[in-house]
């Protein structure tokens, strides 16, 4: 069984502002994990490396989709 890992977002100074995790989903090929927080998001490789992220961006979710 694989060991758990702590996923870190580089250069994010105040991780508290992200809020709680709202969603997580693996890509269809299983190589990346997308994580959505209340106030941000990130995409991690299967090895745990942060590939891209964003925070503090206002956006709306279209619930009708």
């Amino acid at each position: 069984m694989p060991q758990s890992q702590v996923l870190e977002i580089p250069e994010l100074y105040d991780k508290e502002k992200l809020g709680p995790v709202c969603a997580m989903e693996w890509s269809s090929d299983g190589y990346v994990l997308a994580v959505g927080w209340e106030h941000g998001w990130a995409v991690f490789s299967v090895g745990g490396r942060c590939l891209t992220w964003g925070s503090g961006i206002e956006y709306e979710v279209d619930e009708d989709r």
Side-chain angles (χ1 to χ4, degrees), residues 6-61:
V6 175
L7 300 175
E8 295 286 334
I9 298 176
E11 301 176 22
L12 182 62
Y13 301 108
D14 192 357
K15 292 176 177 55
E16 298 289 320
K17 288 190 176 189
L18 288 176
V21 171
C22 298
M24 286 196 307
E25 186 72 34
W26 284 101
S27 63
S28 61
D29 60 7
Y31 282 97
V32 297
L33 175 68
V35 181
W37 289 272
E38 189 172 43
H39 301 290
W41 58 271
V43 177
F44 296 92
S45 71
V46 70
R49 181 174 168 229
C50 184
L51 302 174
T52 187
W53 62 274
S55 68
I57 299 169
E58 294 292 326
Y59 59 90
E60 293 184 26
V61 175

